[in-house]
């Protein structure tokens, strides 16, 4: 049974017909063309599908599209809509990412952290990123950049 | 070289903004419209079985299923170095998870459900899951038709055995070498299989259109090699190379797993039978574990002899590799190690036997380090053990035997100049070698470990790179190359090389990811060779463009060519300081002369590089006579580890790695490789381990059960050190460093554990559990149960390396 839901994505209300079993990540990627959240595992292990749902970190592979009906989603495209954020600028300047596949999830997780806790300790940064796997960077350049931005 | 402006600086990545802003496109992000077909693979549940028949009728009756394809339709073999693979298993399956058929539907969920309805009639065969079984005299053969497979001339398969390749290297007189030794240590080390785990899984879309062209959008490290292998394999269907096009957008990590051709053949072949429809094959995370390539397991016996004064006299190194069901790529890993398993040391008498052994496990293949991480574990453990037995300092022992430029390598060629001694000294200082550290927690002890490393690019002697360059109206530049940006920063470095020659800043240079129709040839982005090889091609293209620009100005304005030079995006004259012509004024439209005619035109150029001195031809019994490796990159690494005596839990307090980059074209990117590669290496020691059940099924194919390090697992401190001893034939002196950064991990951690606890662990991984068991005097092998991550299920000490010689 298809149902029309409305999700606000990066400030724009979008309607889409979904089945009750449709996963939010695949609706975003395959139906709405929002491909910046990536699928790395499809079972909540990697964090590459991270989005902000009403400002909170959510793994979009773990929730159904209908659960997002009427809610507000921010992806990395929305974060940088008016140009790179301070954090994004610093990550670019520091060559913090490599293949970039994890970047959208990690940057959203870091953004949510800094919003809640503008001057986190190194331990708090590590804790906040611990649900996002990165196979390339060894995390340290990303952690250092987040701390650098929070201290500036 | 001191006046370099762009090379040697930590330029911001050209792909930094697309990735950080979420704009970078990977294959699965591309939209192929409503016509897209999904191919869901039907997989073998058996490690070894004959296929007696396949009944597709029930699956094909499902509404929405377009059709089912099986191996019947593709009676071809393919492979990079040995053609031992099939598009779909045909008469027999050789590992659990192998593709047997594919169900096609425009709805991926229908394809997935219908795949379960394909009935395959199997006759289960006895299997070989470990080296002991595979090398028995009457072993079950994984490939009965090994003799029929085409392969490169430097492989030596043993027909009627499971030995797909045997690399022998002999130097000096091994008997004499051991006779001269005062101390000989012999022991066996075991390294299990590992998975690459790029966060992006394999994804490919193939479209065979009605004009007869096959286009592949592929997340690949090797677009041209993919085109070649696929065009060759599908030649019987009427394809030629110019009709095959491989387009590679950004790749979300490769680490060797996306080199060559593995699952990609499925999309290419299936596309041929549903002409006009794009076909997508998207691996699940589980498939990413068991049906791409895995790092091969190895059982290695090291025998090392040394004199009382610390001089190494001989090494004998036997390496038996669990290479899996297909070795078209993995056999070359075995080969590379067979040529280099002395490590970065001068050894006068050498005997290496590196054997590629078929087993009924997933195909082995290239993984960052290409076999070197594996053999360094045993070798570097042995180096420390030998030093201790001689009563020498382990670092001093390595220093004494470190290989120098001009030394004779074990296959007879000469070692390149290198900074190994400098690396040893700098790492030694950085881990404060010689000072014993005490933990503040009395339940914990601290140990230090050290390892040298080396690695050469493993590639065919004629592996080459090419580059095209073109100017735009405003003096900005586009270059096209076909190396792949895997995250290492290759595109940025290529821009820096052009910038240096043509004085145009990197942010005005666009470097595109590959499209085999438009970009020039590159062999593959593997072997840490693209900075060196493609860097040379790009530099030549830039130099050619420069010559063309100077020629135009000479012809239009009459200056001597020698008088002209490039500076700050202008052509200038040495003799006439008032003359300067910005590139933007002539690089497309030329220069008008007095009579109104023009000279010049669009500046375009190309460059090519092939190492013409390399050769893979040598005596099969000794490996003497060739020049298979172009050069080695060397370095050293050390760790300070804190270990909890109750739980065995290890915490890396400091990790240091020094690598000789020749010339670091971009130090920030080199540091990125060191920090990232070290954690990847440390993870193979402390956390990761592939486990199979006793039927050969991989049981931990997800990130809950196969643990990757998270941000909570990073060392307290990582110190990257760059050494620069110029590589004379490299671009601005550069050589590759990317794989090398994970090679020393196992040896240095094993050595640190022994330093802290007096326990010598000889099997990877070195998990907290194993350390805790060892502290309690329990042998891990006695308690490991049915799950095997190891390439030999029996008692390692009793493994008979010599039995195989009779075959
Ligand atoms: S794809 Fe959602 S956590 Fe991995
Ligand atoms: S940069 Fe590749 S996974 Fe993070």
């Amino acid at each position: 049974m298809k149902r029309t839901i409305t999700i606000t994505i990066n400030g724009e209300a979008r309607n889409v017909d979904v089945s009750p079993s449709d996963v939010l990540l695949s609706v975003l990627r395959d139906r709405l063309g929002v491909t910046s959240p990536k699928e790395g595992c499809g079972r909540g292990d990697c964090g590459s599908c991270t989005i902000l749902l009403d400002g909170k970190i959510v793994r979009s592979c773990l929730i159904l599209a209908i659960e997002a009906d009427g809610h507000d989603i921010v992806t990395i495209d929305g974060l940088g809509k008016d140009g790179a954020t301070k954090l994004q600028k610093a990550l670019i300047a520091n060559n913090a990412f490599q293949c970039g596949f994890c970047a959208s999830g990690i940057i959203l997780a870091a953004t949510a952290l800094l919003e809640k806790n503008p001057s986190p300790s190194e331990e708090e940064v590590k804790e906040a990123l611990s649900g996002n796997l990165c196979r390339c960077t060894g995390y340290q350049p990303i952690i250092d950049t987040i701390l650098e931005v929070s201290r500036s | 070289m001191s006046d370099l402006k762009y090379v040697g600086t930590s330029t911001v990545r050209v792909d930094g903004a697309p990735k950080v802003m979420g704009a970078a496109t990977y294959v699965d992000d591309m939209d192929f419209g409503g016509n897209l077909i999904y191919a869901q693979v039907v997989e073998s549940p058996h490690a070894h079985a004959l296929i007696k028949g396949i009944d597709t009728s029930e699956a094909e009756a499902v509404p929405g299923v377009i059709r089912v394809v099986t191996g019947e339709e593709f009676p071809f073999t393919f492979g990079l170095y040995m053609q031992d693979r099939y598009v779909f298993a045909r008469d027999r399956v050789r590992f659990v998870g192998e593709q047997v058929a594919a169900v096609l539907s425009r709805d991926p969920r229908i394809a997935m459900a219908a795949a379960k309805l394909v009935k395959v009639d199997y006759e289960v065969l006895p299997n070989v899951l470990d080296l002991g079984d595979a090398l028995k005299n009457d072993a079950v053969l994984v490939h009965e038709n090994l003799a029929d497979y085409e392969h490169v001339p430097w492989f030596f398969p043993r027909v009627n055995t499971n030995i797909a390749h045997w690399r022998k290297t002999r130097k000096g007189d091994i008997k004499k070498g051991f006779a001269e030794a005062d101390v000989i240590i012999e022991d066996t080390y075991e390294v299990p299989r590992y998975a690459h785990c790029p966060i992006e899984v394999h994804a490919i879309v193939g479209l065979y259109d009605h004009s007869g062209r096959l286009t592949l959008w592929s997340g690949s490290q090797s677009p041209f090699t993919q085109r070649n292998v696929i065009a060759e394999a599908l030649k019987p269907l009427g394809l030629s190379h110019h009709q095959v096009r491989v387009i590679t957008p950004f790749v979300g990590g490769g680490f060797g797993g996306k080199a060559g051709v593995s699952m990609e053949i499925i999309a290419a072949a299936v596309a041929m039978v549903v002409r006009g429809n794009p076909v997508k094959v998207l691996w699940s995370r589980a498939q990413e574990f068991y049906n791409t390539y895995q790092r091969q397991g190895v059982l290695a016996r090291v025998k090392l002899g040394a004199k009382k004064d610390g001089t190494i006299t001989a090494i004998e190194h036997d390496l038996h590799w669990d290479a899996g069901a297909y070795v078209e790529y993995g056999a070359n890993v075995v080969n590379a190690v067979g040529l280099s398993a002395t490590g970065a040391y001068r050894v006068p008498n050498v005997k290496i036997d590196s054997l590629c052994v078929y087993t009924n496990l997933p195909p082995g293949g290239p993984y960052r380090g290409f076999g070197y991480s594996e053999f360094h574990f045993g070798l570097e453990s042995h180096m420390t053990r030998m030093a201790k037995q001689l009563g020498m300092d382990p670092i001093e022992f390595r220093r004494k035997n470190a290989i120098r430029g001009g030394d004779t390598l074990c296959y007879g060629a000469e070692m390149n100049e290198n900074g190994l001694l400098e690396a040893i000294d700098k790492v030694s200082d950085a881990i404060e070698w010689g000072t014993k550290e005490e933990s503040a927690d009395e339940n914990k002890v601290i140990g230090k470990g050290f390892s040298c490393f080396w690695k050469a690019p493993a590639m065919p002697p004629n592996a080459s790179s090419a580059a095209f360059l073109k100017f735009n109206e405003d003096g900005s530049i586009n270059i096209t190359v076909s190396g792949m940006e895997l995250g290492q920063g290759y595109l940025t470095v290529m821009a820096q090389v052009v910038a240096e020659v043509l004085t145009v800043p990197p942010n005005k240079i666009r470097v595109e990811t590959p499209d085999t129709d438009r970009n020039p040839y590159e062999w593959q982005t593997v072997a840490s060779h693209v900075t060196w090889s493609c860097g040379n091609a790009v530099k030549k293209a830039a130099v050619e463009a420069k010559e063309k620009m100077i020629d135009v100005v000479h012809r239009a304005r009459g200056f001597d060519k020698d008088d002209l030079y490039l500076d700050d995006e202008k052509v200038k004259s040495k003799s006439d300081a008032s003359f300067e012509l910005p590139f933007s004024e002539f690089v497309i439209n030329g220069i008008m002369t007095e009579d109104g005619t023009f000279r010049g035109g669009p500046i375009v150029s190309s460059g090519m590089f092939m190492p013409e001195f390399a050769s893979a031809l040598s005596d099969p019994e000794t490996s003497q006579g060739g020049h298979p490796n172009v050069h080695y990159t060397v370095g050293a690494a050390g760790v300070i580890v804190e270990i909890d005596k109750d739980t065995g839990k290890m915490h890396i307090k400091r990790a240091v790695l020094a690598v000789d980059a020749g010339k670091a074209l971009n130090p920030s990117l080199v540091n990125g490789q060191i920090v990232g590669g070290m954690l990847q290496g440390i993870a193979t020691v402390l956390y990761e381990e592939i486990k199979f059940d006793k039927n050969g099924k991989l049981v931990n194919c997800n990130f809950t059960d196969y643990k990757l390090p998270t941000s909570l697992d990073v060392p307290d401190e990582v110190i990257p050190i760059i050494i620069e001893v110029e590589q004379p034939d490299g671009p601005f002196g550069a050589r590759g460093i990317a794989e090398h950064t994970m090679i020393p991990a196992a040896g240095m951690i094993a050595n640190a554990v022994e330093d802290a606890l007096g326990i010598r662990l000889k099997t990877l991984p070195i998990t907290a559990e194993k350390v805790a068991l060892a502290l309690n005097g329990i042998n891990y092998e006695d308690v490991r149960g049915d799950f095997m991550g190891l390439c030999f299920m029996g008692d390692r000490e009793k493994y008979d390396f010599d039995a195989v010689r009779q075959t």
Side-chain angles (χ1 to χ4, degrees):
Chain A
M1 214 19 126
K2 294 253 182 197
R3 188 176 123 192
T4 305
I5 60 166
T6 307
I7 320 175
T8 304
I9 302 175
N10 300 321
E12 183 192 344
R14 306 272 304 262
N15 296 327
V16 60
D17 293 341
V18 300
S19 304
S21 62
D22 285 347
V23 171
L24 178 61
L25 176 61
S26 60
V27 168
L28 286 173
R29 289 180 57 81
D30 302 334
R31 309 282 297 288
L32 294 167
V34 180
T35 58
S36 62
K38 310 294 184 201
E39 177 160 342
C41 71
R43 45 174 274 159
D45 290 335
C46 75
S48 53
C49 63
T50 301
I51 54 161
L52 298 179
L53 185 76
D54 301 332
K56 287 205 187 66
I57 289 295
V58 163
R59 278 145 212 253
S60 60
C61 73
L62 285 185
I63 66 166
L64 297 171
I66 45 168
E67 295 177 72
D69 190 10
H71 292 274
D72 196 72
I73 286 177
V74 173
T75 66
I76 193 147
D77 318 81
L79 215 59
K81 230 169 38 184
D82 307 315
T85 63
K86 216 164 109 182
L87 175 64
Q88 284 174 311
K89 280 188 191 142
L91 289 164
I92 294 170
N94 291 353
N95 289 337
F97 287 97
Q98 293 184 23
C99 82
F101 202 76
C102 65
S104 135
I106 289 188
I107 294 167
L108 288 166
T111 303
L113 167 74
L114 293 177
E115 222 137 80
K116 236 180 17 210
N117 178 0
S119 32
S121 67
E122 179 155 359
E123 283 319 305
E124 285 168 326
V125 172
K126 287 180 179 173
E127 194 61 55
L129 300 189
S130 63
N132 293 78
L133 295 177
C134 172
R135 188 56 153 171
C136 303
T137 64
Y139 302 100
Q140 201 60 51
I142 301 166
I143 297 166
D144 290 345
T145 305
I146 296 167
L147 289 170
E148 173 193 313
V149 168
S150 72
R151 281 167 195 160
S152 68
Chain B
M1 287 230 185
S2 52
D3 51 356
L4 293 172
K5 187 166 173 192
Y6 299 113
V7 155
T9 63
S10 289
T11 305
V12 169
R13 302 178 67 107
V14 298
D15 55 340
K19 288 172 175 174
V20 169
M21 302 305 288
T25 300
Y26 305 81
V27 170
D28 191 44
D29 299 339
M30 301 175 89
D31 187 1
F32 292 89
N35 230 17
L36 181 65
I37 290 174
Y38 294 85
Q40 179 68 37
V41 164
V42 178
E43 301 174 334
S44 166
H46 304 296
H48 200 194
L50 292 178
I51 299 175
K52 308 301 277 183
I54 304 178
D55 179 1
T56 61
S57 55
E58 205 179 323
E60 277 177 319
V62 173
V65 169
I66 295 168
R67 57 171 298 190
V68 178
V69 291
T70 68
E72 280 301 297
E73 291 171 75
F74 311 105
F76 334 120
T77 54
F78 74 97
L80 183 60
Y81 293 110
M82 176 185 269
Q83 298 198 4
D84 69 349
R85 276 194 101 154
Y86 303 82
V87 179
F88 292 98
R90 295 192 61 235
D91 311 327
R92 68 168 77 200
V93 289
R94 296 182 174 84
F95 67 95
V96 177
E98 180 167 11
Q99 66 269 23
V100 174
V103 178
L104 312 185
S105 172
R106 298 197 198 278
D107 183 333
R109 284 182 288 195
I110 291 175
M112 193 178 288
K116 298 196 177 82
L117 302 176
V118 174
K119 304 263 180 306
V120 186
D121 181 16
Y122 293 104
E123 178 187 327
V124 176
L125 297 174
N127 55 35
V128 281
L129 297 180
D130 83 345
L131 290 165
D133 283 344
L135 291 175
K136 276 204 287 239
N137 275 333
D138 56 348
V140 169
L141 295 182
V142 179
H143 290 262
E144 288 175 343
N145 48 340
L146 175 57
D148 302 337
Y149 297 147
E150 277 180 42
H151 58 80
V152 290
W154 64 87
F155 283 1
F156 307 104
R158 298 277 170 114
V159 174
N160 294 325
T161 75
N162 283 316
I163 302 171
H165 174 43
W166 186 327
R167 168 56 59 187
K168 296 179 180 179
T169 298
R170 308 282 183 268
K171 178 191 170 195
D173 179 340
I174 195 73
K175 280 209 182 96
K176 185 169 142 269
F178 284 118
E180 285 167 6
D182 296 310
V183 176
I184 296 172
I185 304 182
E186 181 180 319
D187 213 334
T188 301
Y189 299 86
E190 198 163 0
V191 181
R193 289 168 164 246
Y194 289 96
H196 304 72
C197 303
I199 307 300
E200 179 206 32
V201 293
H202 276 64
I204 180 165
V205 176
L207 170 62
Y208 185 51
D209 70 22
H210 289 293
S211 76
R213 309 203 59 216
L214 175 66
T215 305
L216 302 165
W217 290 266
S218 174
S220 171
Q221 298 181 223
S222 318
F224 271 92
T225 285
Q226 261 189 13
R227 188 184 72 161
N228 186 39
V229 170
I230 287 169
E232 290 290 337
L234 302 183
K235 217 190 253 169
L237 299 177
L239 275 183
S240 91
H241 282 68
H242 79 287
Q243 291 162 317
V244 182
R245 177 181 188 185
V246 179
I247 297 171
T248 44
F250 281 118
V251 169
F255 314 112
K258 290 174 184 163
V261 174
S262 59
M263 55 74 85
E264 296 87 353
I265 194 79
I266 299 171
V270 171
M272 297 297 289
V273 301
V274 286
R275 203 165 179 164
N277 296 276
V279 178
K280 180 184 277 192
V281 184
L282 176 64
W283 256 193
S284 66
R285 175 54 60 187
Q287 288 168 313
E288 187 70 22
F289 272 92
Y290 60 71
N291 195 2
T292 56
Y293 292 115
Q294 289 178 357
R295 196 172 104 174
Q296 302 170 138
V298 70
L299 203 56
R301 180 177 64 182
V302 196
K303 184 175 171 188
L304 186 67
K307 288 187 194 161
K308 276 200 207 92
D309 70 354
T311 311
I312 295 177
T313 58
I315 184 167
E316 194 177 299
H317 208 157
D318 289 280
L319 301 116
H320 291 185
W321 297 85
D322 154 26
Y326 300 101
V327 305
E328 45 89 25
Y329 206 145
N332 211 43
V333 176
V334 173
N335 191 69
V337 170
L339 293 166
S340 298
T342 55
Y345 303 106
R346 16 165 76 148
V347 188
N349 304 295
V350 178
K351 178 168 176 291
I352 305 171
D353 290 271
S354 188
L355 273 67
C356 178
V357 184
Y358 280 123
T359 55
N360 289 120
L361 291 174
Y367 183 121
R368 186 179 199 171
F370 215 68
Y372 284 70
S373 301
E374 294 88 306
F375 87 74
H376 273 75
F377 170 51
L379 181 78
E380 288 293 330
S381 297
H382 238 61
M383 289 296 290
T384 291
R385 291 170 70 182
M386 177 60 88
K388 289 196 170 160
Q389 198 145 332
L390 291 167
M392 268 180 93
D393 176 84
I395 293 187
E396 191 43 44
F397 177 57
R398 287 175 169 85
R399 219 180 177 289
K400 185 174 172 72
N401 292 288
I403 197 155
R404 319 279 167 95
D407 283 354
T408 303
L409 295 159
C410 58
Y411 48 82
E414 207 173 85
M415 178 62 186
N416 50 289
E417 292 300 326
N418 65 81
L420 182 55
L421 292 177
E422 189 183 341
I424 291 173
D425 292 345
K426 288 198 165 147
V427 172
S428 170
D429 288 349
I431 58 168
E432 294 158 73
W433 186 254
T435 24
K436 186 81 193 145
E437 285 179 37
E438 301 277 326
S439 175
D441 182 339
E442 62 174 33
N443 232 356
K444 292 181 179 167
V445 282
I446 293 178
K448 294 182 183 182
F450 190 88
S451 172
C452 291
F453 62 87
W454 79 342
K455 183 183 178 295
M459 50 189 224
N462 57 346
S464 57
S465 302
F468 291 154
L469 181 153
K470 59 186 180 186
F471 267 98
N472 302 312
E473 290 84 342
D474 63 353
S476 65
I477 294 170
N478 283 46
I479 55 176
T480 53
V481 284
S482 294
M484 196 56 218
E485 176 57 63
L486 302 169
Q488 78 284 51
Y490 155 79
L491 297 181
T492 307
V493 167
M494 294 304 112
Q496 287 177 266
V497 168
V498 170
E500 193 62 50
V501 176
L502 294 175
T503 74
V504 175
N507 62 12
K508 289 189 179 171
I509 300 172
R510 181 157 183 82
V511 201
E512 293 288 351
T513 51
D515 169 344
T516 58
D517 261 16
R518 293 169 185 180
N519 296 28
Y521 182 82
E522 168 63 53
W523 168 61
Q524 301 198 76
T525 305
V526 299
S528 305
H529 88 124
V530 288
T531 295
W532 173 74
S533 176
C534 194
N536 277 329
V538 162
K539 191 171 175 214
K540 283 189 193 172
V543 168
E544 184 182 301
K546 174 177 163 180
E547 284 164 3
K548 286 184 173 174
M549 291 156 80
I550 285 179
D551 181 64
V552 174
V553 177
H554 155 72
R555 287 192 292 122
R557 293 291 175 85
F559 288 100
D560 274 354
K561 285 190 193 175
D562 290 347
D563 186 40
L564 295 169
Y565 66 101
L566 309 188
D567 181 37
D568 199 15
E569 303 174 71
K570 300 177 189 83
V571 179
K572 294 183 180 175
S573 157
K574 290 176 205 157
S575 63
D576 178 359
S578 70
F579 175 78
E580 51 173 50
L581 186 64
F583 296 170
S584 57
E585 289 186 15
F586 77 98
V587 286
I588 293 291
N589 292 320
I591 303 170
M592 194 167 78
T593 60
E594 280 169 9
D595 67 359
T597 60
F598 282 77
R599 299 291 174 273
I603 299 290
V604 293
S605 66
S606 65
M608 182 276 285
F609 177 76
M610 180 186 274
E612 292 188 346
F613 57 90
S615 163
L617 299 181
S618 62
D619 176 3
E621 293 304 315
T622 64
S623 296
Q624 295 300 314
H627 198 310
N629 289 334
V630 290
H631 56 252
Y632 286 83
T633 296
V634 300
V639 268
I640 306 176
V641 185
E642 187 176 51
I643 307 174
D644 184 312
K645 285 190 282 182
D646 292 334
T647 62
K649 197 168 165 7
M650 286 157 281
H651 175 76
I652 309 278
K653 292 171 71 70
R654 189 182 297 167
V656 184
L657 186 140
V659 63
D660 180 4
K663 169 75 190 171
L665 301 182
N666 184 321
S668 143
L669 297 179
V670 173
N671 289 344
Q673 287 305 300
I674 295 177
V675 175
M678 278 197 108
L679 189 63
Q680 198 175 0
I682 288 167
T684 61
V685 191
L686 300 186
Y687 315 118
E688 296 175 32
E689 180 174 24
I690 279 189
K691 289 184 175 173
F692 296 98
D693 69 14
K694 55 182 187 249
N695 299 312
K697 181 178 177 317
L698 205 162
V699 293
N700 59 339
C701 45
N702 60 64
F703 292 145
T704 317
D705 301 316
Y706 185 96
K707 178 170 160 43
L708 295 194
T710 72
S711 50
L712 296 170
D713 300 312
V714 302
D716 288 349
E717 189 182 11
V718 181
I719 304 178
I721 299 171
I722 296 171
I723 313 280
E724 294 183 319
V725 174
E726 188 192 4
Q727 179 64 34
D729 62 4
F732 301 97
R735 63 173 87 79
I737 56 96
E739 291 171 277
H740 308 76
T741 54
M742 77 178 280
I743 293 173
M748 73 183 184
I749 293 175
N751 290 335
V753 169
E754 191 197 38
D755 184 47
L757 300 167
I759 293 168
R760 175 55 63 179
L761 289 168
K762 295 179 277 190
T763 355
L764 289 185
I766 299 175
T767 55
E769 181 195 8
K770 271 192 204 163
V771 171
L773 286 171
L775 277 169
N776 289 295
I778 301 167
N779 184 3
Y780 174 74
E781 263 112 287
D782 297 339
V783 297
R784 72 183 178 191
D786 275 347
F787 291 108
M788 55 184 283
L790 305 172
C791 37
F792 181 54
M793 278 305 284
D795 181 352
R796 189 182 54 234
E797 311 291 334
K798 297 206 183 96
Y799 181 83
D800 187 359
F801 279 91
D802 304 310
V804 75
R805 300 196 189 292
Q806 296 138 29
T807 60

